[in-house]
Amino acid sequence: MTSPVPLRTVTVGLLGCGTVGQNVLHLLARRRDIFANIGVQVVVAGVLVRDAERARDVPAGTLLTDDPSFLQECGVVIEAMGGTVRPLSLLHPYLKSGRPVITANKALLAECWTELREYALAGKLYYEASVMAGTPVIGPMSTVLRASRFESLQAVLNGTCNYILTQMEEGKEYAQALEEAQALGYAEDPPTLDVGGFDTAHKLAVLARFCADGDFAYDQVKVQGIEGVTLKDVQEAAEAGEKYKLIAELKPGAGGVGWEATVSPQRLPASHPICTIGEGRNTLVFRGEECGELYFAGGGAGGMVTASAMVGDLLDIVIGFPGHVPLH
Ligand code: NAP
Ligand code: HSE
């Protein structure tokens, strides 16, 4: 009888143990087999939190700490803490040392691109979860879709807003629907990022770097949120066979010069493909000259759908696939 081949150990550090971080830990434990099948065991060296004493739903033996020194021994860092300044300060030296990072943090990617771009170009940044959570869109846009000349995209990219607007169609008040979206783990901290349209703008900036301009700046997006949409507006739209959606759009600028990127609430026919998906789900319509019109739709917010994309990114790292490289 041959003895089993010892597994190669990949040591991971996790930043954040909230809605997303806890599910990453559970999914790593649940899908141990997919790593073992390629000869790897993933060991989580530690999890960085603000309050290490708080009880959490994590696998037994997980080290929760407010001291980031455990990162030094990690081969891969998974960032699920949010914000910009703190994660950048933790990740920057780490990236500089040549090690890969997985992040779900579109605010960080959108607003700190000057600091992160060189690592993305080097294939060291993996961020499938940052846009449309568990629905893969960054993967295709950073690879096969480049063969086709990009024309435009139109998308619902925020689960919280989509949930709120869908609930308002049922007659629920905005404030109650927002509370429910928060309880479901969809909303940002603070939720102004969602309802003000900024989270959608972050995501649109991330996508624009794969199809329009590798240096696309977040402040190029014109942003309007859903705070001004009333129950009466939603009901009037419904009577006319229409729905309100928070729509992200990217298309060539006037006269074909530059790009026009907008986030705004729009009233569309209920039969429009972008309106057929409700609750916390997302939809993206991608138009390319050669590939034609493509539709992506699925889970866009929530702990486990987001974790599924992050663990998928970890699998890519272990296999040796590069991260998500922008246009250059
Ligand atoms: P969350 O539930 O608020 O969890 C954030 C975690 O990060 C908490 O465990 C918190 O620690 C920790 N943390 C925050 N600031 C910290 C600091 N300065 N030092 C140490 N730890 C800190 O947030 P989340 O919903 O999981 O989202 C995390 C990230 O994923 C965000 O970038 C978000 O945009 C992104 N994302 C979220 C979703 C979603 O559906 N929720 C989907 C896609 C992407 P404590 O627990 O001790 O406070
Ligand atoms: N707050 C975000 C949303 C989480 O509601 O879409 C997923 O990125």
Side-chain angles (χ1 to χ4, degrees):
M1 229 175 72
T2 54
S3 50
V5 179
L7 298 176
R8 170 168 71 94
T9 298
V10 171
T11 307
V12 167
L14 178 62
L15 309 183
C17 197
T19 305
V20 175
Q22 289 179 59
N23 280 289
V24 167
L25 292 171
H26 285 299
L27 190 55
L28 283 174
R30 193 194 292 174
R31 300 295 278 141
R32 205 172 276 132
D33 58 330
I34 54 171
F35 291 96
N37 288 344
I38 52 172
V40 164
Q41 69 167 345
V42 175
V43 172
V44 179
V47 182
L48 188 74
V49 289
R50 283 177 289 216
D51 177 2
E53 302 307 316
R54 182 140 59 85
R56 295 169 201 263
D57 174 20
V58 293
T62 303
L63 169 71
L64 291 157
T65 172
D66 59 7
D67 174 3
S69 57
F70 69 89
L71 290 178
Q72 285 158 19
E73 62 177 284
C74 297
V76 180
V77 169
I78 303 181
E79 189 265 315
M81 66 191 275
T84 53
V85 178
R86 182 70 169 139
L88 185 65
S89 70
L90 289 163
L91 296 178
H92 196 255
Y94 192 87
L95 284 163
K96 222 170 157 187
S97 73
R99 287 170 289 175
V101 162
I102 298 169
T103 182
N105 188 340
K106 53 277 172 168
L108 176 73
L109 292 161
E111 296 187 25
C112 303
W113 194 232
T114 311
E115 292 86 347
L116 295 174
R117 184 173 174 270
E118 69 175 285
Y119 305 108
L121 285 173
K124 293 295 183 185
L125 262 185
Y126 296 73
Y127 44 105
E128 184 60 67
S130 66
V131 180
M132 293 181 75
T135 306
V137 66
I138 289 184
M141 282 181 65
S142 63
T143 55
V144 290
L145 291 180
R146 293 223 180 137
S148 190
R149 189 183 304 274
F150 173 69
E151 293 178 336
S152 66
L153 71 77
Q154 194 181 26
V156 167
L157 298 177
N158 186 272
T160 301
C161 291
N162 210 37
Y163 181 85
I164 292 171
L165 293 170
T166 309
Q167 293 301 312
M168 286 169 78
E169 285 163 18
E170 307 297 321
K172 206 170 274 175
E173 291 292 342
Y174 171 94
Q176 192 194 336
L178 172 56
E179 261 178 44
E180 288 177 10
Q182 288 177 294
L184 287 164
Y186 294 166
E188 299 297 309
D189 179 17
T192 326
L193 286 170
D194 299 289
V195 295
F198 308 107
D199 176 76
T200 301
H202 287 147
K203 292 166 175 164
L204 187 59
V206 170
L207 294 181
R209 294 168 186 154
F210 297 112
C211 56
D213 174 358
D215 279 327
F216 193 90
Y218 165 61
D219 60 14
Q220 285 175 252
V221 187
K222 289 196 192 107
V223 190
Q224 188 192 340
I226 62 161
E227 298 109 317
V229 180
T230 64
L231 199 50
K232 188 163 169 275
D233 292 333
V234 173
Q235 282 165 354
E236 276 175 10
E239 280 158 24
E242 295 181 340
K243 286 177 190 264
Y244 270 94
K245 294 283 172 190
L246 183 66
I247 302 290
E249 274 184 293
L250 178 66
K251 57 187 181 193
V257 179
W259 297 94
E260 192 182 310
T262 54
V263 173
S264 61
Q266 291 184 26
R267 208 174 129 162
L268 298 168
S271 57
H272 189 289
I274 233 163
C275 292
T276 55
I277 197 153
E279 304 295 329
R281 292 159 76 81
N282 287 181
T283 322
L284 184 144
V285 182
F286 180 98
R287 296 183 192 93
E289 188 179 330
E290 292 79 10
C291 67
E293 195 165 83
L294 305 176
Y295 297 89
F296 298 84
M304 194 47 96
V305 281
T306 307
S308 73
M310 300 188 92
V311 172
D313 277 351
L314 181 60
L315 201 54
D316 276 0
I317 291 174
V318 167
I319 292 169
F321 292 143
H324 301 113
V325 180
L327 292 175
H328 51 286

